[in-house]
Amino acid sequence: MSKEDRIGQKDTLRKRGVCVVIPTYNNGGTIVDVVDRSLAQCDDVIVVDDGSTDDTPLLLGGRADITLVTLGRNRGKGIALREGFRRAMAMGFTYAVTLDGDGQHYPEDIPLLTEASAAHPGALIVGRRLLEGVQRSKGSAFANRFSNFWFWVQTGCRLPDTQTGFRLYPLKSLRGLSLLTARYEAELMLMVLASWHGVQLVPTPVRVYYPPKEERVSHFRPGPDFARISVLNTVLCLLAVVYGLPLRLGRFVSAAVRTAYVILFFTTTMLLLINPMVWLYVKWRGDYKTPETDRERATADTLRRLICRCARFVALRHGIPGVKFTCEVAEGVAFDRPRVIICNHQSHLDLVCQLIFTPNIVFLTNDWVWRNPFYGFVIRHAEYLPVREGIDALLPKLRSLAERGCSIAVYPEGTRSADGRIGRFHPGAFYIAEQLGLEVLPMYLHGPGLVLPKGAYMLRKGQIRVEVDKPIPQSRLQAMGGVKEQTSALRRHYKEKMRQ
């Protein structure tokens, strides 16, 4: 990573309110290296010295580039984490990345956690240690499997690694800080409580380093600590029945009711109102065959205005229960001229999010959208076009639409992202812009993939934010190189934008 990229990454983390919390106890041989490498990734590092009796206080005491929290005596990792979180919240941070001071975690992997957090705002990101080829004790492997099993029993969620200390916590969603136990089991308790209260837990792969046995510094006491974990699991299983399960059932019922309401509203509106109205209007205006006559073009323009008004009603007035829509448009941007609009693709809700801005927008759609029984009739008569025809075959139609003032909307990824991250871009959008001499207008969607993820059937509560950037003129696109280079450059731009 270049110096400029690293500075940009640090600025992004500060804007998002991300800090690093490092609990440490007698890690004098590794703590300076861990702190320095963490500072290379993030400017805001909080170190909690849990009553160290070695040279740790001397090594950290004079540093002005970190925030040092000193506990008078050794109170355990759980208490150290609690004090670190409290200091982070008092300083105004929104997220805290935690890693151990013994050097087993790679601070260079912090961007992996923050990127996953950007794709899943408000989630607790859990580092999944890549343990293939790593030598560790049989007891450690058993403890992880044991913990994973009981975590599933208590929450109904499966995680591949519940014992890792490399995580990113959404600070405002932390529950039970005042109830945290003193030692290692506190981290399990934090995850269980978060899951019960509806916080999404997202695993992401991270590296791990275990030094040779003779060099390891471990404060884990197999007998006493395993007994404490067993007691905690017993208590959590009891609480799961009387507290966690009712919370989960309540969220399920709420999501089911919300989803059923939206489906009923959508199907009723489309089948009993919109489709009959459009059918009668098309028949009254004349059978629709091609958009070549003024009458047929006027019909398509009218249908696009209808679609735009319906989208605005859903997003800005009626809304989806439990979902808040907001939009941000860059200063000076107006939808008064044709452009190629590109956008990341996360959910079935994406079209609604984009259609609120202007009726003069035509989408290139997949075949199943084109033939959809609920709205396929409407979009076909609104001059939306199926990508199966191929870009070159569509160019004459697209040119005609652009000459009439319509913008062309394309999802460069081609398909919805399963996890909200930016996938591979296809060059079609940039080829169209080049052939038609149009500007490219970037839009960014934040949140649709959380409200209705790919493959999910239940609508979740959340926030959806639509961001419209300034258009990119052809002169600037050409400066990037050919269509292939433009595709790569815009994908990098989107990946960076979605980290913010």
Side-chain angles (χ1 to χ4, degrees):
M1 181 183 293
S2 68
K3 182 178 179 180
E4 292 76 13
D5 290 340
R6 187 160 293 163
I7 292 173
Q9 173 188 290
K10 289 183 175 183
D11 289 341
T12 298
L13 295 189
R14 177 159 286 179
K15 290 176 182 176
R16 293 193 66 226
V18 179
C19 69
V20 175
V21 174
I22 307 174
T24 183
Y25 174 63
N26 287 351
N27 296 126
T30 57
I31 189 61
V32 172
D33 178 62
V34 172
V35 168
D36 289 342
R37 290 162 62 194
S38 298
L39 285 168
Q41 305 298 321
C42 178
D43 284 331
D44 302 295
V45 174
I46 300 172
V47 181
V48 184
D49 179 11
D50 186 22
S52 296
T53 57
D54 62 356
D55 58 349
T56 297
L58 181 64
L59 295 170
L60 299 178
R63 298 193 61 149
D65 52 354
I66 64 171
T67 298
L68 181 62
V69 178
T70 302
L71 305 184
R73 59 183 177 85
N74 179 235
R75 302 177 63 188
K77 186 177 183 182
I79 302 301
L81 283 173
R82 183 187 70 190
E83 296 307 309
F85 292 148
R86 286 178 171 173
R87 178 61 63 89
M89 287 187 280
M91 296 171 66
F93 290 105
T94 306
Y95 297 96
V97 174
T98 62
L99 61 143
D100 295 341
D102 60 3
Q104 70 166 286
H105 302 136
Y106 286 76
E108 293 78 14
D109 286 348
I110 289 174
L112 299 178
L113 301 185
T114 56
E115 184 175 349
S117 175
H120 302 272
L124 197 165
I125 310 301
V126 183
R128 178 175 65 82
R129 293 169 293 180
L130 299 174
L131 296 168
E132 294 78 7
V134 175
Q135 292 185 350
R136 57 178 184 150
S137 66
K138 293 182 179 179
S140 174
F142 171 77
N144 196 38
R145 292 195 300 270
F146 181 83
S147 179
N148 293 349
F149 170 76
W150 285 112
F151 180 79
W152 170 72
V153 170
Q154 293 151 9
T155 66
C157 299
R158 294 190 182 275
L159 281 180
D161 189 359
T162 57
Q163 292 289 292
T164 176
F166 200 5
R167 303 174 183 175
L168 184 147
Y169 290 90
L171 294 174
K172 292 182 180 179
S173 299
L174 290 180
R175 304 281 180 156
L177 279 181
S178 60
L179 303 176
L180 276 189
T181 59
R183 294 188 61 79
Y184 298 94
E185 68 275 5
E187 293 176 290
L188 174 64
M189 184 177 176
L190 282 172
M191 287 200 306
V192 171
L193 291 175
S195 178
W196 285 350
H197 286 88
V199 178
Q200 186 184 11
L201 277 69
V202 178
T204 194
V206 294
R207 294 172 292 174
V208 64
Y209 169 72
Y210 285 110
K213 187 175 181 180
E214 61 275 8
E215 297 179 12
R216 294 180 188 177
V217 177
S218 175
H219 306 295
F220 184 79
R221 303 168 301 178
D225 285 334
F226 191 77
R228 290 170 64 96
I229 292 172
S230 298
V231 171
L232 177 65
N233 277 320
T234 301
V235 173
L236 289 176
C237 285
L238 293 173
L239 288 174
V241 175
V242 300
Y243 182 71
L245 184 59
L247 284 176
R248 290 168 53 197
L249 286 175
R251 285 198 306 277
F252 176 81
V253 171
S254 175
V257 170
R258 185 166 53 250
T259 304
Y261 170 79
V262 171
I263 292 174
L264 182 62
F265 175 82
F266 175 76
T267 54
T268 302
T269 302
M270 292 302 301
L271 294 180
L272 301 183
L273 183 63
I274 302 296
N275 278 333
M277 286 176 55
V278 171
W279 186 85
L280 290 171
Y281 182 75
V282 169
K283 291 298 181 182
W284 175 64
R285 298 286 293 188
D287 289 338
Y288 180 91
K289 292 184 174 59
T290 64
E292 295 177 355
T293 69
D294 291 340
R295 184 171 61 181
E296 290 159 346
R297 289 174 177 176
T299 299
D301 293 342
T302 300
L303 294 184
R304 286 197 296 273
R305 287 194 293 271
L306 173 66
I307 293 171
C308 180
R309 288 173 182 171
C310 290
R312 288 174 178 173
F313 178 77
V314 170
L316 304 179
R317 294 185 180 180
H318 179 271
I320 299 173
V323 179
K324 180 181 179 182
F325 281 86
T326 58
C327 56
E328 302 174 11
V329 180
E331 185 178 358
V333 175
F335 296 89
D336 56 352
R337 67 184 68 179
R339 299 183 176 101
V340 172
I341 299 175
I342 61 172
C343 189
N344 56 307
H345 199 7
Q346 297 186 3
S347 170
H348 287 309
L349 301 174
D350 294 354
L351 268 72
V352 174
C353 299
Q354 293 180 267
L355 284 166
I356 64 176
F357 295 104
T358 176
N360 296 323
I361 180 172
V362 171
F363 283 84
L364 298 188
T365 70
N366 290 325
D367 200 48
W368 72 268
V369 176
W370 176 257
R371 300 182 182 280
N372 189 280
F374 291 104
Y375 49 78
F377 181 80
V378 178
I379 67 172
R380 287 196 298 272
H381 289 76
E383 297 184 277
Y384 289 20
L385 298 171
V387 292
R388 60 179 165 78
E389 293 187 17
I391 297 298
D392 288 321
L394 291 175
L395 274 177
K397 300 177 183 178
L398 295 175
R399 190 180 302 278
S400 174
L401 287 165
E403 290 172 352
R404 290 160 49 200
C406 290
S407 292
I408 317 300
V410 185
Y411 295 113
E413 294 167 281
T415 185
R416 289 169 290 146
S417 169
D419 58 4
R421 302 187 191 189
I422 300 300
R424 184 171 69 91
F425 272 23
H426 299 281
F430 309 99
Y431 177 72
I432 293 171
E434 181 184 71
Q435 293 299 307
L436 302 184
L438 299 178
E439 298 175 328
V440 169
L441 180 65
M443 286 188 184
Y444 317 99
L445 296 180
H446 307 268
L450 300 179
V451 174
L452 185 61
K454 185 176 183 178
Y457 299 98
M458 292 286 192
L459 284 165
R460 301 172 180 173
K461 291 183 178 180
Q463 296 186 4
I464 294 178
R465 179 166 60 91
V466 190
E467 188 178 353
V468 182
D469 209 343
K470 292 186 176 180
I472 306 173
Q474 272 297 316
S475 57
R476 186 173 151 204
L477 288 167
Q478 295 298 325
M480 298 177 187
V483 169
K484 183 178 179 180
E485 289 74 23
Q486 294 170 27
T487 305
S488 299
L490 266 297
R491 180 176 185 265
R492 289 193 300 270
H493 170 73
Y494 265 76
K495 290 184 68 175
E496 180 60 33
K497 188 73 177 179
M498 298 308 292
R499 290 192 186 106
Q500 297 178 7

